[in-house]
């Protein structure tokens, strides 16, 4: 640890009035360079129960916000809905309920445990009886004490861990039950495994020893042994690692790469259990291994993964913080994991026992512009201060620079979050003040520029209980309750999750255009800002249109075509008339009578022509691409524009946008068809029949004379040679008639039976059960056991129009 670097990085306020004035002037000058304007984003979501636990708010990579409460985990999923014309953020709300039964840790046979509890409760030694009765780890049911319901902590896995390729949720209850949940059908959360129960069984089999060389454990009737067995399986925190690759040996001795993820669980006695799960995680059968590490940290309080990559060599470790102050990295030996190396010994980041508890730790991977190498920034909330440590590997070894940032809050930090894309850190205290810290690299280490965000200027007088930043840094979610009014505390507390913007529309659009991810679903927070702007202004800004057209011409990636489709759909929705009445409310108006049928009234050719033109225009507006719902609201907008004397321009504008949407959808469909045909050509033999309507897809691609794609023509020529004049048509399951491939969305037989087509394989879905895109753009069939691996891989893909997963 370099003392000079620590001194250079330390940011402590100097003493004296002149120094305070200089610091204020410097802060004002610094904040002018990165002025942040926080704007409130509706709606505010009211929680049914109060927030509970430390760090009650977490934002996943697939844009779901988990809120730990006293009865459940409320999950708020952010959607960038292309079918809604409302300007508010679209949120889908679900919940993970707390278990009804209390969790009892396994410390021995049930009969013996019951006898020991009765013995300790009636002990004449007050140090035993009172310690036992007041410790909720021993007595989770409470009896005379209030029940320990609710959640202590929740943690999201990386994207791509469950059966749908989304995030798993690890939940820790107040009574020490650690379980993993998955949202497989969007409406219900399912518990996949109870890790507390499994770990207790492992300890019971091992005799409550970490290894066979340990000394035999004492009798359960001894109170210290009773405490030890509880503390070695009572979780404090848990954190997920990034997805890593392991090698699995098949029956024919071939090796194949299998994705896996690690979950580290920190216990009260300082031990860390590292669970390894094979992906996709389906349950108990997906558990590969569980190893226990002794950290040597007394009174541990927080845990985080340290993952470092240097010259294509990956290193991993666990950062553990103590309630007494120390912070250090524990080596983790990842056996059978490709490309991973481990530390030789623990690395102490902060060793002083200064009684400042470590509340939260974040590790952010960055690139050092002066050293020209990767580095890791570790930040930890310690009381009202932020401890930071910069780690980088050079020829001399691992370099550690650390210091504290002071003068941020007058109260202890209650929550901290970080934007891992640019390294920005956000901290908040309970008085409604949020600090934004931006790391600035220097020759030796780094410094922080910080800015105060007063939530009272956005929400009014509030108290804050937790914050979380969205994956791309566009929004900040905040748990708030009412603050003091006229010097008085509120009678009732209403817990709400509120959102503020951290980026402008221009910043979000630029980030979407230059994105390395090239996936709209993984950038929902950015697309929501763009959606909000277009719905307010009712047009796409000219600079965005021109920049997007240039990207399409120069790159041609389908990502930019999907981005263009998204903009056109939002533009179409912005031009629809907002319904003045609730759509489900029945109308009490009398039925209208046609003028031509009314007695004493004649019909003219002009009236008939006008009625026909109205009907034709309405029908043409209804023939939109899949996923764009154009119904009577389009007709309402036409009537509205006709009242103002501008009906014809509005009709022409809507028809023009509709034609552009159809053209972009057709381009995306053809590109995906080429990909499907490429997979067919690579994985089939001569005259081999598959579930994919190969001949129909080829004919559909070649049916349009205006479509001249040399790559497609060459590919189709090779496939037709392979098929050797075979057609392999699809047949209707009801009448056995041939299903012609004339439409990319549906198949209609000669008897009028209609079947929707799978957008991933273009096979007709002739079953009652199928999957649907998250935004209801398209449908897809379920994989079957008869499908080969390459077709199963195709069926795992996202929506070709919006990148959303399929359920």
């Amino acid at each position: 640890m370099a003392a000079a670097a620590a001194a250079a990085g330390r940011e402590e306020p100097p003493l004296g009035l002149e120094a305070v004035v200089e610091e204020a002037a410097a802060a004002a000058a610094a904040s002018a360079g990165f002025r942040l304007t926080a704007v409130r984003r509706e709606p505010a979501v009211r929680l049914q129960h109060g927030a509970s636990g430390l760090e009650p708010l977490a934002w996943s990579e697939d844009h779901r916000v988990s809120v730990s409460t006293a009865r459940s985990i409320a999950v708020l999923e952010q959607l960038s809905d292309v079918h809604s014309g409302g300007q508010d953020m679209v949120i889908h709300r679900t919940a993970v309920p707390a278990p009804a039964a209390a969790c009892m840790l396994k410390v021995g046979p049930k009969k013996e445990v019951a006898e020991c509890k009765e013995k300790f409760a009636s002990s004449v030694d007050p140090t035993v009886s009172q310690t036992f009765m007041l410790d909720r780890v021993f007595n989770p049911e409470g009896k005379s004490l209030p029940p320990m319901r609710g959640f202590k902590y929740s943690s999201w896995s990386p994207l791509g861990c469950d059966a749908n390729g989304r995030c798993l949720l690890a939940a820790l209850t107040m009574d020490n039950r650690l379980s993993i949940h998955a949202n497989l059908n969007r409406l219900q959360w399912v518990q996949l495994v109870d890790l507390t129960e499994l770990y207790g069984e492992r300890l019971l089999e091992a005799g409550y020893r970490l290894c066979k060389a340990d000394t035999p454990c004492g009798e359960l009737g001894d109170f210290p042994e009773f405490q030890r067995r509880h503390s070695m399986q009572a979780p404090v925190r848990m954190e997920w690692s990034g997805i890593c690759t392991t090698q699995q040996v098949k029956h024919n001795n071939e090796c194949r790469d299998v994705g896996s993820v690690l979950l580290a669980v920190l216990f009260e006695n300082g031990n860390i259990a590292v669970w390894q799960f094979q992906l996709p995680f389906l349950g108990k059968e997906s558990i590969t291994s569980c190893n226990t590490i002794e950290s040597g940290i007394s009174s541990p309080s927080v845990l985080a993964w340290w993952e470092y990559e240097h010259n294509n060599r990956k290193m991993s470790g666990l950062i553990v913080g103590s309630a007494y102050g120390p912070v250090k990295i524990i080596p983790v030996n990842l056996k059978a994991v490709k490309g991973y190396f481990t530390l030789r010994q623990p690395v102490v980041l902060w060793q002083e026992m200064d009684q400042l508890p470590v509340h939260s730790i974040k590790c952010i991977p960055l690139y050092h512009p002066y050293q020209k190498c990767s580095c890791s920034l570790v930040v930890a909330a310690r009381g009202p201060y932020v401890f930071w440590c910069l780690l980088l590997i050079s020829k001399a070894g691992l370099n550690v620079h650390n210091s504290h940032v002071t003068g941020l809050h007058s109260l202890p930090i209650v929550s901290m979050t970080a934007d891992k894309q640019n390294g920005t850190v956000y901290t908040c205290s309970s008085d409604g003040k949020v600090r934004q810290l931006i790391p600035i690299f220097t020759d030796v280490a780094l410094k922080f520029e910080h800015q105060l965000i007063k939530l009272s200027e956005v929400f009014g007088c509030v108290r804050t209980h937790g914050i979380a930043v969205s994956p791309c840094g566009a929004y900040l979610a905040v748990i708030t309750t009412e603050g003091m009014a006229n010097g008085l505390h509120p009678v009732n507390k209403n817990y709400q999750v509120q959102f503020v913007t951290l980026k402008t529309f221009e910043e979000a659009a630029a980030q979407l255009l230059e994105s390395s991810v090239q996936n709209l679903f993984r950038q929902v927070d950015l697309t929501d800002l763009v959606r909000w702007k277009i719905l307010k202004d009712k047009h796409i800004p000219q600079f965005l249109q021109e920049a997007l057209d240039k990207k399409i011409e120069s790159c041609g990636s389908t990502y930019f075509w999907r981005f263009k489709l998204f903009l056109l759909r939002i533009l179409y929705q912005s031009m629809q008339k907002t319904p003045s009445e609730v759509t489900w409310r029945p109308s009490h108006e009398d039925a209208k009578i046609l003028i031509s049928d009314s007695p004493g009234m004649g019909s003219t050719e002009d009236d008939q022509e006008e009625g026909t033109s109205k009907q034709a225009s309405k029908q043409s507006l209804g023939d939109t691409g899949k996923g764009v719902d154009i119904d009577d609201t389009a007709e309402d907008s036409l009537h509205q524009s006709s009242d103002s004397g501008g009906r014809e321009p509005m009709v022409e504008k809507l028809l023009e946008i509709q034609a552009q949407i159809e053209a972009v959808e057709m381009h995306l469909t053809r590109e995906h068809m080429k990909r499907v045909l490429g997979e067919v050509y690579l994985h089939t033999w001569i005259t081999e029949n598959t579930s994919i309507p190969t001949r129909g897809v080829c004919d559909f691609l070649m049916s349009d004379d205006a479509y001249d794609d040399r790559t497609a023509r060459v590919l189709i020529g090779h496939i037709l040679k392979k098929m050797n004049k075979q057609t392999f048509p699809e047949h209707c399951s009801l009448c056995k008639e041939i299903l012609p491939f004339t439409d990319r969305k549906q198949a209609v037989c000669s008897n009028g039976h209609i079947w929707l087509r799978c957008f991933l394989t273009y096979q007709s879905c002739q079953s009652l059960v199928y999957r649907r895109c998250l935004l209801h753009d398209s449908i897809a069939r379920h994989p079957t056991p008869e499908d080969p691996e390459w077709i199963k891989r195709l069926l795992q893909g996202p929506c070709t129009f919006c990148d959303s997963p399929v359920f």
Side-chain angles (χ1 to χ4, degrees):
M1 187 182 302
R10 187 176 300 273
E11 299 183 11
E12 297 186 357
L15 301 177
L17 180 61
E18 296 179 358
V20 172
V21 174
E22 290 177 1
E23 182 188 7
S31 63
F34 56 96
R35 177 69 62 184
L36 174 65
T37 303
V39 180
R40 183 173 184 170
R41 186 77 168 98
E42 296 291 348
V45 182
R46 184 170 179 176
L47 300 177
Q48 296 177 344
H49 306 283
S52 64
L54 301 173
E55 296 284 356
L57 209 56
W59 205 317
S60 70
E61 292 181 8
D62 58 354
H63 301 276
R64 290 184 286 191
V65 181
S66 63
V67 190
S68 301
T69 70
R71 290 294 181 270
S72 64
I73 294 181
V75 181
L76 314 176
E77 181 175 5
Q78 182 187 13
L79 299 176
S80 190
D81 194 0
V82 295
H83 311 303
S84 171
Q87 295 184 16
D88 288 353
M89 184 186 296
V90 180
I91 294 175
H92 180 259
R93 182 170 181 169
T94 53
V96 181
C103 175
M104 306 297 293
L105 300 179
K106 293 184 179 180
V107 294
K110 290 185 177 180
K111 184 178 180 180
E112 187 179 356
V113 170
E115 293 175 355
C116 291
K117 285 188 175 182
E118 185 177 355
K119 169 187 172 184
F120 298 144
S122 58
S123 175
V124 295
D125 186 355
T127 60
V128 175
S129 59
Q130 293 184 15
T131 302
F132 173 79
M133 296 299 294
L134 295 177
D135 196 326
R136 300 309 298 270
V137 177
F138 304 147
N139 301 284
E141 67 277 3
K143 295 183 180 179
S144 60
L145 298 174
M148 289 285 289
R149 293 199 64 185
F151 288 86
K152 187 188 303 183
Y153 189 65
S154 63
S155 178
W156 291 99
S157 75
L159 193 64
C161 290
D162 74 350
N164 293 322
R166 303 196 68 183
C167 298
L168 297 168
L169 179 63
L172 177 61
T173 61
M174 286 290 188
D175 55 3
N176 300 304
R177 186 194 304 272
L178 174 59
S179 54
I180 298 178
H181 302 261
N183 182 216
L184 301 178
N185 59 4
R186 287 204 69 218
L187 299 178
Q188 182 183 10
W189 286 86
V190 179
Q191 178 178 308
L192 299 180
V193 67
D194 186 343
L195 293 182
T196 299
E197 181 180 0
L198 292 181
Y199 194 70
E201 293 174 356
R202 287 172 176 263
L203 290 177
L204 182 62
E205 294 174 359
Y208 298 94
R209 294 181 298 174
L210 295 182
C211 60
K212 296 180 180 179
D214 291 348
T215 57
C217 58
E219 295 295 331
L220 185 60
D222 297 333
F223 191 61
E225 176 65 19
F226 189 81
Q227 288 178 310
R228 188 186 74 88
R229 294 190 185 185
H230 278 88
S231 65
M232 69 189 306
Q233 54 180 316
V236 176
R237 290 284 182 100
M238 66 285 178
E239 294 294 342
W240 297 87
S241 72
I243 294 178
C244 48
T245 304
T246 59
Q247 286 191 338
Q248 187 180 65
V249 181
K250 300 169 69 174
H251 296 292
N252 56 358
N253 290 331
E254 291 183 0
C255 292
R256 71 184 183 103
D257 292 341
V258 178
S260 64
V261 68
L262 304 174
L263 178 66
V265 184
L266 178 65
F267 297 102
E268 283 188 357
N269 66 342
N271 291 348
I272 303 173
V274 180
W275 296 85
Q276 185 174 6
F277 304 134
Q278 183 176 326
L279 300 180
F281 184 75
L282 304 176
K284 187 176 179 181
E285 63 275 11
S286 300
I287 298 177
T288 305
S289 64
C290 176
N291 299 312
T292 304
I293 305 171
E294 295 186 63
S295 68
I297 293 284
S298 58
S299 188
S301 60
V302 69
L303 178 74
W305 278 93
W306 174 65
E307 293 174 315
Y308 185 87
E309 185 171 356
H310 176 69
N311 292 337
N312 295 326
R313 300 180 65 182
K314 299 178 182 178
M315 300 187 70
S316 183
L318 286 167
I319 310 170
V320 184
S322 170
Y324 297 142
V327 181
K328 71 176 181 178
I329 301 179
I330 308 299
V332 178
N333 186 14
L334 302 180
K335 296 180 180 179
V337 178
K338 290 181 61 178
Y340 269 83
F341 299 85
T342 186
L343 295 170
R344 296 179 181 177
Q345 58 186 5
V347 178
V348 177
L349 305 183
W350 186 258
Q351 62 182 357
E352 294 186 16
M353 306 276 285
D354 49 14
Q355 304 301 317
L356 283 176
V358 184
H359 174 77
S360 178
I361 295 179
K362 303 295 180 184
C363 183
I364 310 166
L366 296 174
Y367 179 79
H368 202 298
Y370 296 100
Q371 302 293 334
K372 307 295 183 183
C373 65
S374 301
C375 61
S376 296
L377 175 62
V378 179
V379 288
R382 304 179 68 242
Y385 313 118
V386 170
F387 165 76
W388 64 265
C389 183
L390 184 65
L391 304 170
L392 58 92
I393 295 179
S394 65
K395 295 180 180 180
L398 180 63
N399 296 329
V400 180
H401 306 272
N402 64 1
S403 182
H404 281 80
V405 183
T406 62
L408 298 176
H409 298 277
S410 57
L411 295 175
I413 296 173
V414 297
S415 183
M416 182 176 68
T417 185
D419 182 359
K420 293 190 176 182
Q421 292 195 347
N422 56 17
T424 304
V425 180
Y426 299 89
T427 61
C428 83
S429 54
S430 60
D431 55 359
K433 294 180 180 179
V434 176
R435 284 280 183 179
Q436 180 195 44
L437 289 83
I438 300 178
I440 307 296
F441 283 98
T442 62
D443 294 338
V444 180
L446 56 79
K447 63 179 181 179
F448 284 94
E449 291 184 350
H450 46 85
Q451 178 184 356
L452 177 64
I453 304 174
K454 292 185 179 179
L455 296 181
S456 58
E457 298 177 356
V458 182
F459 303 129
C461 185
V462 293
R463 294 179 64 87
T464 51
H465 304 270
I467 58 174
V469 68
S470 61
C472 297
Y475 288 110
L476 185 72
V478 190
I479 300 179
T480 62
T481 54
E482 295 86 348
M484 295 181 65
N486 298 324
L488 300 175
H489 290 283
V491 178
N492 298 316
K493 285 186 178 182
N494 296 315
Y495 286 84
Q496 289 183 320
V497 179
Q498 306 201 61
F499 300 90
V500 294
T501 63
L502 299 176
K503 291 182 183 292
T504 63
F505 161 74
E506 290 78 13
E507 292 172 337
Q511 193 168 338
L512 285 167
L513 289 173
E514 301 298 331
S515 171
S516 60
V517 178
Q518 297 208 342
N519 185 295
L520 293 178
F521 173 72
R522 297 183 66 177
Q523 304 173 95
V524 166
D525 51 344
L526 296 176
T527 58
D528 184 76
L529 277 178
V530 175
R531 170 182 172 272
W532 187 23
K533 175 72 172 179
I534 295 176
L535 288 175
K536 284 195 301 184
D537 297 348
K538 298 186 183 300
H539 76 276
I540 303 175
Q542 187 67 26
F543 83 92
L544 180 56
Q545 283 186 336
E546 295 176 354
L548 185 58
D549 291 339
K550 288 182 180 179
K551 287 287 186 180
I552 291 176
E553 292 176 4
S554 61
C555 180
S557 171
T558 54
Y559 163 73
F560 297 110
W561 285 92
R562 291 191 295 272
F563 188 22
K564 183 176 182 179
L565 176 63
F566 169 79
L567 296 178
L568 290 172
R569 286 173 166 181
I570 299 303
L571 179 61
Y572 192 94
Q573 289 295 332
S574 69
M575 295 187 174
Q576 302 303 310
K577 176 185 175 183
T578 304
S580 57
E581 296 183 357
V582 181
T583 54
W584 54 263
R585 184 177 297 163
S587 174
H588 299 286
E589 296 180 0
D590 296 335
K592 296 181 180 179
I593 303 175
L594 291 175
I595 296 178
S596 58
D597 296 338
S598 300
M601 297 295 291
S603 63
T604 62
E605 293 180 1
D606 294 337
D607 294 336
Q608 293 177 359
E609 290 178 359
E610 183 179 358
T612 305
S613 63
K614 285 184 180 180
Q615 186 176 6
S617 63
K618 182 176 179 179
Q619 182 178 2
S620 64
L621 287 172
D623 297 335
T624 60
K626 191 72 176 177
V628 182
D629 295 331
I630 304 173
D631 47 12
D632 292 340
T633 56
E635 187 71 11
D636 295 339
S637 64
L638 298 184
H639 285 303
Q640 183 188 26
S641 58
S642 100
D643 294 340
S644 60
R647 174 184 173 187
E648 291 301 327
M650 180 61 73
V651 172
E652 293 177 359
K653 184 67 174 176
L654 290 174
L655 292 176
E656 179 185 352
I657 298 173
Q658 173 194 339
Q660 292 178 4
I661 291 174
E662 184 67 27
V664 175
E665 286 186 349
M666 182 59 71
H667 175 82
L668 291 171
T669 301
R670 286 169 175 163
E671 290 298 314
H672 186 67
M673 283 182 173
K674 286 161 57 178
R675 184 196 166 197
V676 172
L677 291 179
E679 294 289 333
V680 171
Y681 178 73
L682 290 175
H683 297 95
T684 57
W685 299 96
I686 297 177
T687 65
E688 180 183 352
N689 188 14
T690 65
S691 60
I692 296 177
T694 308
R695 186 59 183 261
V697 174
C698 293
D699 294 342
F700 182 84
L701 276 177
M702 304 303 296
S703 61
D704 189 0
D705 297 334
Y707 179 64
D708 186 15
D709 190 328
R710 177 173 174 80
T711 304
R713 293 185 182 276
V714 171
L715 179 61
I716 291 173
H718 287 302
I719 290 177
L720 294 182
K721 284 183 180 179
K722 218 176 204 184
M723 294 183 67
N724 197 16
K725 298 183 180 180
Q726 298 291 329
T727 57
F728 302 121
E730 291 182 292
H731 293 83
C732 178
S733 61
L734 297 179
C735 61
K736 307 304 179 184
E737 291 292 329
I738 293 178
L739 290 173
F741 199 111
T742 56
D743 193 342
R744 59 187 172 90
K745 302 175 186 176
Q746 61 185 18
V748 184
C749 72
S750 57
N751 292 325
H753 300 136
I754 302 176
W755 306 102
L756 298 176
R757 289 198 177 276
C758 168
F759 73 96
L760 293 173
T761 62
Y762 299 104
Q763 180 187 4
S764 57
C765 297
Q766 302 190 44
S767 64
L768 299 178
V769 180
Y770 51 83
R771 301 178 297 155
R772 195 160 191 180
C773 160
L774 181 66
L775 297 183
H776 294 178
D777 257 340
S778 312
I779 70 160
R781 70 176 180 89
H782 285 277
T784 60
E786 297 80 18
D787 289 333
E789 289 296 326
W790 63 275
I791 289 185
K792 290 180 180 179
R793 284 197 304 270
L794 280 175
L795 292 173
Q796 291 175 355
C799 178
T800 55
F801 294 147
C802 62
D803 291 327
S804 298
V806 186
F807 292 89

